Amino acid sequence: MAIVTLLRPPLLVPTWSDSGPMTPPIGPAYLAASLRRAGHPARIVDGLGENPFQVTSLFANKVTAIGLRSEEIVEKIEPDTTLIGVSCMFSQDWPEIRRMIALARRRFPNIPIVAGGEHITAVADFTLDSTPEVDVCAIGEGEETIVDLATAVDRGSSFDTVPGLVVRADGGTRTTGARARIRNIDDIPLPAWDLVPLEN
């Protein structure tokens, strides 16, 4: 089965802010639960949760990163990973997440990288055009899409048949078709909290 590693970046806050929203990574935890229910091993590297007391200045001291540095997050990806997932919920986080993706691509040149989240959903074409390290963008809810992507990796099949994606095509991009929203939320397995250091 495909082995999927989901990356959570450090928490980014302006240096003038005296606090940031330290929340558990509910998105990756839901994705990991869906993957495990489908039989795919899932791992989460929780950049914030792994070291919430580490503070690093970024972008000429205008932004503070709380948690592991992007380099440290990428170092924690285990070598047997066969698919890497990265989420960007907020556009102001994209420059550092993009850098983290580039680091992951450098370390794993042949492993597919999927990007998802609200920012990616809003600007999927821009993401693929500006970030060659991203192989495919997941649009909207990711619980079913990540499972289908893992299955495609496992079978060695094309991502073109997985709905809910934006992929590269003929020098541009195209969608693989919309994926229906999950109507019965009770069908979604509970978050895989055991994969993240909640106690931190």
Side-chain angles (χ1 to χ4, degrees):
M1 301 302 281
I3 300 171
V4 184
T5 300
L6 305 169
L7 307 182
R8 183 198 196 184
L11 172 64
L12 303 180
V13 295
T15 51
W16 49 260
S17 175
D18 61 0
S19 66
M22 291 196 183
T23 58
I26 193 166
Y30 268 119
L31 296 179
S34 294
L35 284 162
R36 291 202 304 194
R37 183 171 69 180
H40 297 287
R43 301 169 182 146
I44 299 172
V45 181
D46 181 2
L48 171 60
E50 288 284 341
N51 193 346
F53 300 105
Q54 177 172 300
V55 176
T56 306
S57 292
L58 300 174
F59 305 114
N61 296 323
K62 293 181 179 175
V63 174
T64 298
I66 302 171
L68 298 179
R69 292 179 296 110
S70 291
E71 291 83 355
E72 295 172 307
I73 293 169
V74 170
E75 272 302 310
K76 286 187 170 287
I77 303 172
E78 296 187 33
D80 60 348
T81 294
T82 55
L83 177 64
I84 296 170
V86 182
S87 178
C88 182
M89 295 302 291
F90 304 106
S91 296
Q92 67 265 22
D93 295 344
W94 177 242
E96 181 61 18
I97 292 175
R98 181 179 176 186
R99 192 176 77 84
M100 183 177 70
I101 290 169
L103 292 167
R105 170 57 69 226
R106 196 174 308 149
R107 184 169 173 222
F108 297 95
N110 300 313
I111 300 299
I113 297 176
V114 54
E118 292 296 328
H119 170 81
I120 303 300
T121 295
V123 292
D125 292 341
F126 166 78
T127 301
L128 291 176
D129 289 342
S130 65
T131 314
E133 297 87 356
V134 173
D135 294 292
V136 61
C137 291
I139 305 305
E141 298 172 341
E143 285 81 3
E144 293 176 344
T145 304
I146 194 70
V147 170
D148 287 352
L149 282 169
T151 301
V153 167
D154 189 44
R155 294 175 178 168
S157 57
S158 170
F159 291 161
D160 290 351
T161 60
V162 176
L165 302 177
V166 174
V167 298
R168 290 188 177 85
D170 300 324
T173 62
R174 69 173 182 82
T175 179
T176 60
R179 182 181 289 274
R181 282 192 170 272
I182 300 170
R183 295 298 180 185
N184 185 1
I185 60 173
D186 289 336
D187 289 343
I188 305 171
L190 294 176
W193 292 128
D194 58 296
L195 297 181
V196 297
L198 280 179
E199 66 279 1
N200 290 350

